[in-house]
Amino acid sequence: MLKIIEAGAAGAFRAETPALQRNNDVEAAVDRILKDIQERGDAALLEYTARFDGAVLESSAVTKEEMDEAWEAVEPEFRAILEEAAEHIRRFHQNQVKEGFRFQPEEGIILGQKVIPLASAGLYIPGGTACYPSSVLMNAIPPKLAGVQNLVLATPPGKDGKVPAVILCAARIAGVDNIYKMGGAQAIGALAFGTETVPKVDKIVGPGNMYVATAKRRVFGVVDIDMIAGPSEILVLADGTCNPKYVAADLLSQAEHDAMSSAVLITDSRALAEAVQQELEVQLAALPREAIARKAIENNSFALLVNDLEEGVEYANQVAPEHLEICTDDPWPLLEKVRNAGSVFLGKNAPEALGDYWAGPNHVLPTSGTARFSSPLSVDDFVKRTSFTYYSREALKKSAKSIETFAEREGLSAHARSVTVRFAEEE
C-alpha cells in the first residue's frame, strides 16, 4: 500500500539508487568483454552473441532484405502510427536546431562559432522481453536533425537470429543508416572501438541493463555517451480537485517499468491521498505487471502531504524527478517555480504516457536526481561547437601590450613572445 506521510516527516528524499551504485562483479565482467572486443573484433562479438543471446550468426549486420521483410510484417495501421509519432518528434526537435554565429566587435576583428554535427552516433536499443520502437524514434530522430551522417543502431537478436519487425520498421522511419544484431556490453564495445564490420562511432546513446550502463561508463572518453540512467520515476503534484483514478493510473504508468521505479504523489489534500491509496489497490489488482508495480509502490513510493502546492513544488525541486506532472486546472504559475525536472506535464489531461509516445518532447530524460544539472536528450547532444578568431595586424598590435602583460603575469613568456615577435622589427 502507498505510504502517506506529512511533509515535516519526509526526511531525506533520495538515497543513492541501486542502478547508480558500482557492482564489482559486473565491472570486472564488462572489462573482460570490452578488452576481448578490442582485441578480437567480430570474432569475439559473434561469440558473445551466441553465448548471451543464443543466436548463431555469420554476420551481425541487418540486411536490406531483412529490413524489407520487417516493413511488410508490420501492419499498415501501426506503421502509420509510428510515422505520425515520428513527425511529432521531428516537429518538436526541429526547434532545437541551431546555427553558428559570426560578429565583428570592432574594426579588424571577427569572432564566431561553428556548430558542427558529429560524424557518427550509435544507438543502443534493448532486446529480450523488451521491444520499444518508441525508444528508436526518440533516440534516432534528434541526431538525424542535427546532421549526423552515420547513425548506427545496435540491438540484440532473438534466438532465431532476428530483430523484432517493429524495431526495424521504426529504424527505417527514423532514418537509421546501419543496424547490427548485437547486445550487451559487447555491443557498446563494438560501437566504441569498432570491429572489422561495425564502425566506430563518436557518441553512444540509448537505454540498457546494468552491463550496458557499466560499459557506457567505461568507454566514456573514448566516445561520448548520453547518460547513465537509473530506474524510472514520476512525481505527480495534484490538488484536491483531481480525479484519484487518473492520479493512480499515472503513478502506475511508471511503477510498472521496474521494481526499483518510484512513484510519488505530492498533494495538499489528505482526502485525495487516501483516495489514490485506495484506487491504487484496485488498479494494481487488474494490472498484468502487478508484481513489479506493487514492489515499486510499496518500497520506493509515497504520498507527501504539504500545506499548499507552492510548498509542493519546492519538494519536487529537491527530488528533481524524471517526469513531473502538475495536475491542476491552472498549472502555469507552478511551472514558473519548477527548477529541476526532466519533463513536465501540465494540467489534468497530460499523462506521462503522452510524452513517452506521442507529443514530441524527448522521453530520454535524466533520472536519479540528475535533472538538477542535466537535460533531456536533444539535437544539442549530437553537435559540437568550434569557436574561431580573426585579428588583423592592426587589431593585434592594438592589444599586444595588454596580452604581453597578462602572459608575463602568469609566467608564460613564450605566450607573450608569440605576440610581440610579430612587431619586433618595428621597434
Side-chain angles (χ1 to χ4, degrees), residues 292-303:
I292 292 172
R294 185 173 292 279
K295 286 182 180 179
I297 292 296
E298 293 180 350
N299 298 334
N300 312 314
S301 307
F302 57 88

Side-chain angles (χ1 to χ4, degrees), residues 98 115-118 146-148 378-385:
K98 298 181 179 67
V115 177
I116 307 167
L118 301 181
V148 172
S378 73
V379 171
D380 290 338
D381 288 296
F382 300 95
V383 299
K384 55 185 179 177
R385 296 165 182 82

Side-chain angles (χ1 to χ4, degrees), residues 50-259:
R51 183 192 308 180
F52 297 132
D53 302 310
V56 178
L57 305 175
E58 293 184 3
S59 170
S60 59
V62 172
T63 66
K64 181 181 183 302
E65 289 73 23
E66 288 175 297
M67 292 293 292
D68 293 340
E69 180 183 332
W71 184 264
E72 295 301 325
V74 175
E75 60 273 28
E77 295 80 8
F78 191 62
R79 289 205 309 260
I81 289 172
L82 288 174
E83 288 175 331
E84 187 171 356
E87 183 53 37
H88 295 171
I89 296 166
R90 288 191 190 95
R91 179 179 63 189
F92 177 84
H93 289 79
Q94 184 65 50
N95 291 285
Q96 298 172 344
V97 177
K98 298 181 179 67
E99 297 181 355
F101 61 86
R102 173 175 171 156
F103 69 103
Q104 187 171 351
E106 57 185 88
E107 184 66 30
I109 300 175
I110 300 173
L111 306 175
Q113 184 180 82
K114 290 183 64 177
V115 177
I116 307 167
L118 301 181
S120 59
L123 161 58
Y124 186 86
I125 296 296
T129 59
C131 184
Y132 299 133
S134 61
S135 291
V136 177
L137 300 180
M138 291 289 182
N139 282 275
I141 289 173
K144 297 311 291 185
L145 287 173
V148 172
Q149 292 299 306
N150 187 26
L151 180 59
V152 179
L153 186 150
T155 190
K159 292 183 179 181
D160 60 358
K162 295 184 177 181
V163 174
V166 290
I167 296 297
L168 298 183
C169 186
R172 173 174 284 186
I173 289 170
V176 172
D177 298 294
N178 295 286
I179 304 173
Y180 294 89
K181 303 172 188 176
M182 55 185 187
Q186 60 272 20
I188 302 303
L191 292 172
F193 305 121
T195 70
E196 296 90 333
T197 58
V198 179
K200 171 181 168 59
V201 300
D202 297 320
K203 182 163 188 167
I204 300 173
V205 302
N209 62 18
M210 185 180 295
Y211 289 86
V212 171
T214 300
K216 286 171 67 177
R217 184 189 291 119
R218 285 295 210 230
V219 301
F220 176 65
V222 177
V223 294
D224 192 16
I225 62 172
D226 51 351
M227 62 185 73
I228 304 296
S232 297
E233 310 159 350
I234 186 169
L235 191 155
V236 177
L237 189 65
D239 61 23
T241 68
C242 290
N243 188 325
K245 291 184 178 181
Y246 299 170
V247 175
D250 291 357
L251 293 173
L252 290 175
S253 72
Q254 292 306 292
E256 73 172 349
H257 267 298
D258 189 292

